Amino acid sequence: MYHVVKKRLLATGIALLEVNAPAVAAKVEPGQFVIVRLDELSERIPLTVMDFDREKGTITIVVQDVGYSSAIITRMNEGDEFQDFVGPLGVASEVENYGTVVCIGGGLGIAPVHPIARALKEAGNHVISVLGSRSADLLILEDEMRAASSEVVIATNDGSKGVKGFVTDGLAEVLAQGHQVKAIWAIGPMIMMKAVVDYTRSLGIKTIVSMNPIMVDGTGMCGACRISVGNETKFACVDGPEFDGHLVDFDLAMKRLAFYKDEENQAKARLECDCGKEGGHH
Amino acid sequence: MTEKVESTKKVKIPRHEMPCQEPEVRARNFEEVALGYSEETAIEEAKRCLQCKNPKCIAGCPVSVLIPDFIKKIAEGDFQEAGNVLKIKNSLPAVCGRVCPQENQCESKCILGIKGESVAIGRLERFAADYGMKAGKSEFEKPEPSGKRVAIIGAGPAGLACAGDLAKAGHAVTVFEALHVAGGVLMYGIPQFRLPKEIVQTEIDNLKEMGVEILTNQVVGKITSVDELLENGYDAAFIGTGAGLPYFMDIPGENLNGVYSANEFLTRTNLMKGYKFPDYATPVKVGKNVAVLGAGNVAMDSARTALRLGAENVYIIYRRSRDEMPARKEELEHAEEEGIQFRLLTNPVAIEGDERGWVKSLTCLRYELGEPDASGRRSPIAIKGSEFEIPMDTVVVAIGQGPNPLVTTSTPGLELNKRGNIVADPETLMTSKPGVFAGGDIVTGAATVILAMGAGKKAAAGIDNYLKGK
Ligand SMILES: Cc1cc2nc3c(=O)[nH]c(=O)nc-3n(C[C@H](O)[C@H](O)[C@H](O)COP(=O)(O)OP(=O)(O)OC[C@H]3O[C@@H](n4cnc5c(N)ncnc54)[C@H](O)[C@@H]3O)c2cc1C
Ligand SMILES: Cc1cc2nc3c(=O)[nH]c(=O)nc-3n(C[C@H](O)[C@H](O)[C@H](O)COP(=O)(O)OP(=O)(O)OC[C@H]3O[C@@H](n4cnc5c(N)ncnc54)[C@H](O)[C@@H]3O)c2cc1C
Ligand code: FES
């Protein structure tokens, strides 16, 4: 039922998959995520919704090969099926007309920020998107982001495109132009989100981040996804994934991502050793 | 022979032991611990039953299983019929025979138990139910369709029992389950070594055979809502979403790596089959020293699971004394035999971590029993200055679960009590919302399988009545 209707490679190790999931597509809102399970042996993997088409009944996800499960998913082809596809999960973004807003997407984070930027623009905001990547060839979804935003600023670490530096440098440039920025969405690696909130805290600009801790059920049943926000424990899957970035304890969140380092390496080694075999993963 | 003489004789026959895997062996595998009675033992045990004219055991059973009747059938060697008698009142006898706290229910009322040992009702229930299961499904006659549709939310024992009875009454039933498998706690919580998942799956397959539609991956409150279900063609709904929200202790260090809620620890192990990592891709991690906080069934399951995953020392840390431990007696005994270490009258006050954010040790405080309180229980009092530290790698918090708010907060007009549980009419189990019924842990708070199952059946009767009047 949940088969891949379209696949596109966006960069090395990054795949876009459009998946047939009509009931999820009917309900999903920007900022929400799904959990997928490929087959009986697989983990439950949370992935943010990059796009949705209510008429066609599809959900688009973007997956980066960072380990065992994500590697298998990025290798899926059109027609391949997920055994399980649960969603929409989490609380939707608070979309309203704020005035001028900035949507920051770093690396893979451009995918989840995409539907948020689009919805904010549709709600009447002047949306300035700041996209960051290590280099020009790793920058994903530029066309989609241009369509979803009013203006786009690009920052690459090596300067191969746009501003040379990090997304914070891109943001600095936007602010230097004198925009009255009312709210910022910043989605990307934890370290990037932390850098952005450290920068915007003193400026007093509301900054929303999307947290991606390790999850299991995604319904508030296990507590694996707990993070600390304003010194209170929250379950990212049901209370988030979006939170006020100025209140998030990023150091704790980053440490928690390393919970299964040993096991991840073990699984990854296994993937590499049976790569040649048919199917790859069993 | 008069009843009296017979009882004096029977009381002398000891209750038949349950054959089990040896503790040293089973503590390192996930196979079922209790192996079940043989046919001969079952008959012998069944013959101990006095067949009381006024059976007290039935009154001790939350769903009034016809206990003497099914035991009589076992004594006569008619095992198939024994299973059929069980099924009249109990939709999940193979499950209840394994997990019910019989010592507080039916067996506590058995007349033989006054002077000697009660009949092993639970073990006999398991025997008859397993026999019935092996012998194959009993014929199910499709009832006349009523033309009514009922939505069931949550596929735990409450939802499944409700679905079964409604299907028997001819209603079209759809179960919406959030996880990728049905079964609720029976699948994700209670471990394989205590309740093999194949047994739960057989019960679920039987329901499907009866025409019950089970949709997994459906988080009600997100993909649809109770109101939408009622608007879209369902004539009534039953909420059986359980007590799935894990509580933490609110002590320093609970977010360190190495700290699990029991729900996460057990879900990774049972539902995701983490004990077969890396064949199954979901990892679960235990260190050398594991502390389990709490002393109920959930805590015992966590402790025994930790042992099977390779821990060297597993401690149950509990603030009260042995007599207050809420776990089933059999679980406590099994845990003890397997080498779980009990640190009673001890309460954790903080979890200490290293610089990388991993659990390093547990700081505890010793307690002593004070004067009896209003309830007559001697409550524990902390001993000042008694702090001590135990080196620890893994901590599992098993101090209880509350109601998950996903359904209740997305259903306007549903009356809740102050703990967030749904309020339902005690007779019909209808909620404050007409046509919406609820039962199981979501109503009572975390309780037992048999109570949840009983509530599901009661609600099915309530729904049937409601639909007849519609
Ligand atoms: C709400 C949410 C939304 C997400 N959206 C996306 C998305 O749109 N696209 C995408 O590619 N990934 C997304 N992720 C991350 C994705 O779930 C993980 O990359 C994936 O689970 C890693 O599994 P693995 O077996 O491939 O890697 P593993 O071998 O398990 O881990 C490899 C590396 O990834 C890190 N990692 C493990 N789990 C997570 C995690 N849950 N989040 C972030 N890093 C993790 C580990 O710390 C490790 O360094 C999201 C995560 C969450 C919680
Ligand atoms: C580890 C453990 C050990 C236990 N041991 C025993 C024992 O030995 N003996 C005993 O009698 N009892 C035991 N219990 C208690 C017993 O399991 C529960 O009382 C019983 O399962 C409650 O049944 P239920 O149907 O109300 O809820 P659950 O079994 O919790 O089932 C609820 C179901 O609803 C689903 N759900 C929740 N929210 C949604 C939603 N929004 N949409 C769709 N579906 C949803 C859940 O995923 C779940 O499948 C134990 C419990 C645990 C956790
Ligand atoms: S993932 Fe289990 S509670 Fe959030």
Side-chain angles (χ1 to χ4, degrees):
Chain A
M1 170 150 95
Y2 309 113
H3 60 274
V4 177
V5 296
K6 205 172 86 192
K7 176 182 182 174
R8 185 151 64 96
L9 269 182
L10 300 182
T12 315
I14 301 181
L16 174 149
L17 302 171
E18 187 178 346
V19 183
N20 180 57
V24 184
K27 278 297 164 70
V28 70
E29 294 293 341
Q32 292 189 296
F33 64 99
V34 295
I35 287 187
V36 305
R37 204 171 72 114
L38 195 58
D39 63 24
E40 203 43 46
L41 303 179
S42 306
E43 286 181 270
R44 293 170 62 96
I45 299 290
L47 298 165
T48 316
V49 172
M50 177 266 164
D51 205 350
F52 50 90
D53 187 328
R54 302 208 203 275
E55 255 113 72
K56 254 171 94 187
T58 59
I59 296 280
T60 302
I61 50 181
V62 175
V63 190
Q64 181 167 29
D65 173 357
V66 294
Y68 180 77
S69 301
S70 52
I72 295 169
I73 296 172
T74 54
R75 290 174 202 172
M76 286 175 82
N77 288 312
E78 287 169 14
D80 290 350
E81 277 189 34
F82 289 100
Q83 182 166 322
D84 300 293
F85 195 95
V86 201
L89 297 169
V91 180
S93 309
E94 267 182 55
V95 174
E96 52 184 89
N97 193 349
Y98 298 90
T100 298
V101 295
V102 174
C103 288
I104 304 176
L108 192 78
I110 298 171
V113 98
H114 168 260
I116 303 171
R118 184 175 58 194
L120 285 165
K121 192 177 163 200
E122 280 167 7
N125 292 282
H126 183 76
V127 178
I128 307 171
S129 290
V130 177
L131 312 181
S133 68
R134 266 182 287 141
S135 60
D137 56 320
L138 290 174
L139 186 72
I140 60 167
L141 303 170
E142 186 186 337
D143 295 344
E144 287 81 352
M145 285 306 292
R146 288 201 185 275
S149 327
S150 318
E151 292 178 43
V152 169
V153 174
I154 290 169
T156 51
N157 301 4
D158 65 358
S160 49
K161 188 161 195 175
V163 184
K164 180 173 178 352
F166 301 98
V167 288
T168 39
D169 298 305
L171 176 61
E173 196 174 286
V174 171
L175 296 172
Q177 289 165 4
H179 290 289
Q180 288 301 304
V181 176
K182 288 294 181 335
I184 297 174
W185 265 258
I187 309 184
M190 293 258 189
I191 194 79
M192 178 214 96
M193 295 193 283
K194 183 174 186 312
V196 173
V197 302
D198 284 347
Y199 176 55
T200 61
R201 187 174 282 118
S202 56
L203 304 173
I205 309 174
K206 172 174 158 170
T207 305
I208 310 289
V209 296
S210 182
M211 300 302 287
N212 52 0
I214 292 171
M215 294 185 174
V216 185
D217 61 300
T219 68
M221 182 268 274
C222 78
C225 62
R226 59 197 191 279
I227 60 169
S228 178
V229 182
N231 285 325
E232 249 186 80
T233 295
K234 297 279 181 193
F235 289 1
C237 70
V238 285
D239 300 325
E242 293 187 357
F243 293 96
D244 177 346
H246 294 144
L247 300 178
V248 170
D249 182 342
F250 280 100
D251 292 333
L252 174 74
M254 283 189 268
K255 281 179 184 158
R256 285 187 63 78
L257 270 188
F259 199 138
Y260 294 101
K261 265 280 169 291
D262 299 344
E263 290 75 13
E264 285 157 7
N265 290 337
Q266 200 183 333
K268 186 105 189 176
R270 192 177 159 85
L271 184 71
E272 275 147 22
C273 81
D274 39 50
C275 243
K277 290 189 209 150
E278 190 59 34
H281 60 286
H282 298 154
Chain B
M1 198 162 34
T2 64
E3 230 176 66
K4 183 123 197 276
V5 178
E6 196 183 355
S7 92
T8 341
K9 209 176 99 194
K10 286 195 172 174
V11 85
K12 293 205 180 109
I13 311 173
R15 176 180 156 112
H16 293 81
E17 290 294 329
M18 179 62 122
C20 286
Q21 281 194 67
E22 287 304 317
E24 316 74 67
V25 177
R26 71 184 193 232
R28 299 291 167 194
N29 71 44
F30 276 86
E31 303 298 316
E32 191 170 13
V33 167
L35 302 171
Y37 278 164
S38 65
E39 294 186 2
E40 296 73 37
T41 314
I43 292 176
E44 287 308 310
E45 181 64 27
K47 283 185 177 158
R48 291 181 66 230
C49 174
L50 297 175
Q51 293 293 323
C52 301
K53 286 207 185 64
N54 175 17
K56 298 272 188 289
C57 52
I58 298 186
C61 173
V63 301
S64 311
V65 163
L66 305 171
I67 296 168
D69 293 4
F70 96 81
I71 293 184
K72 185 152 180 263
K73 291 293 169 199
I74 296 181
E76 290 167 0
D78 190 353
F79 307 138
Q80 183 75 43
E81 192 49 32
N84 293 343
V85 173
L86 274 172
K87 281 265 182 182
I88 298 171
K89 298 281 184 179
N90 189 341
S91 328
L92 305 167
V95 175
C96 292
R98 287 173 166 81
V99 305
C100 264
Q102 291 95 1
E103 70 272 16
N104 305 325
Q105 300 177 6
C106 51
E107 292 180 9
S108 75
K109 301 284 199 280
C110 177
I111 301 300
L112 279 186
I114 299 172
K115 289 230 178 90
E117 290 175 299
S118 64
V119 175
I121 303 172
R123 294 169 187 174
L124 290 173
E125 178 179 35
R126 167 182 163 161
F127 171 80
D130 284 2
Y131 187 91
M133 222 172 229
K134 269 195 234 112
K137 293 171 281 292
S138 49
E139 284 303 301
F140 168 71
E141 275 177 48
K142 281 239 153 67
E144 198 59 32
S146 68
K148 303 280 192 220
R149 296 174 70 202
V150 184
I152 309 255
I153 300 148
L160 293 177
C162 189
D165 278 14
L166 287 169
K168 281 183 202 154
H171 305 301
V173 185
T174 310
V175 182
F176 296 83
E177 167 56 45
L179 293 172
H180 57 263
V181 297
V185 169
L186 308 182
M187 279 298 195
Y188 78 72
I190 305 181
Q192 178 75 11
F193 58 82
R194 201 148 74 77
L195 178 64
K197 302 305 146 220
E198 297 74 16
I199 287 174
V200 185
Q201 193 55 50
T202 306
E203 298 289 7
I204 292 162
D205 292 343
N206 287 344
L207 281 179
K208 288 188 188 157
E209 202 104 333
M210 287 163 61
V212 172
E213 181 184 28
I214 300 182
L215 302 178
T216 50
N217 298 323
Q218 308 292 313
V219 183
V220 175
K222 292 290 177 190
I223 197 163
T224 186
S225 67
V226 173
D227 285 341
E228 279 176 338
L229 290 170
L230 293 177
E231 282 158 23
N232 296 333
Y234 288 97
D235 301 289
F238 173 76
I239 305 175
T241 47
L245 183 79
Y247 289 145
F248 285 89
M249 292 197 63
D250 222 0
I251 56 176
E254 261 181 324
N255 292 335
L256 289 164
N257 285 351
V259 183
Y260 283 104
S261 76
N263 273 6
E264 182 187 355
F265 188 63
L266 294 170
T267 297
R268 283 180 176 276
T269 313
N270 302 320
L271 180 72
M272 306 310 295
K273 306 252 187 305
Y275 65 96
K276 296 184 184 167
F277 180 85
D279 287 336
Y280 280 74
T282 308
V284 56
K285 209 179 173 91
V286 295
K288 223 165 83 179
N289 299 307
V290 180
V292 177
L293 315 183
N297 286 324
V298 185
M300 295 307 142
D301 283 344
S302 303
R304 298 172 69 198
T305 295
L307 204 62
R308 284 160 174 78
L309 290 172
E312 283 174 24
N313 295 300
V314 182
Y315 306 94
I316 287 276
I317 303 203
Y318 184 51
R319 194 166 63 98
R320 296 175 179 270
S321 66
R322 197 183 172 85
D323 292 342
E324 280 91 12
M325 293 205 271
R328 287 179 75 215
K329 189 163 151 267
E330 187 182 59
E331 281 1 291
L332 274 174
E333 288 169 2
H334 281 167
E336 212 155 36
E337 286 165 15
E338 288 166 14
I340 304 293
Q341 302 168 50
F342 291 83
R343 294 284 178 273
L344 304 178
L345 291 168
T346 303
N347 202 34
V349 288
I351 307 168
E352 321 296 337
D354 65 17
E355 58 298 333
R356 286 165 41 251
W358 281 88
V359 172
K360 197 176 70 183
S361 65
L362 190 67
T363 303
C364 300
L365 205 56
R366 281 191 224 285
Y367 277 59
E368 62 190 349
L369 286 179
E371 293 302 310
D373 59 15
S375 72
R377 285 211 302 189
R378 295 179 64 190
S379 54
I381 301 168
I383 304 172
K384 281 207 186 67
S386 68
E387 275 101 345
F388 66 104
E389 224 175 299
I390 329 177
M392 211 58 74
D393 307 292
T394 307
V395 176
V396 182
V397 184
I399 56 161
Q401 303 95 235
N404 187 314
L406 279 183
V407 170
T408 52
T409 52
S410 63
T411 312
L414 201 59
E415 190 189 338
L416 307 180
N417 68 17
K418 57 180 185 299
R419 289 182 307 274
N421 293 106
I422 300 177
V423 177
D425 179 283
E427 291 312 312
T428 63
L429 293 186
M430 184 140 97
T431 65
S432 56
K433 239 175 131 73
V436 179
F437 297 72
D441 283 4
I442 186 65
V443 169
T444 55
T448 59
V449 173
I450 189 96
L451 284 171
M453 193 211 74
K457 287 178 82 74
K458 199 178 209 180
I463 293 170
D464 191 42
N465 255 327
Y466 169 81
L467 292 176
K468 280 188 182 129
K470 244 186 116 168

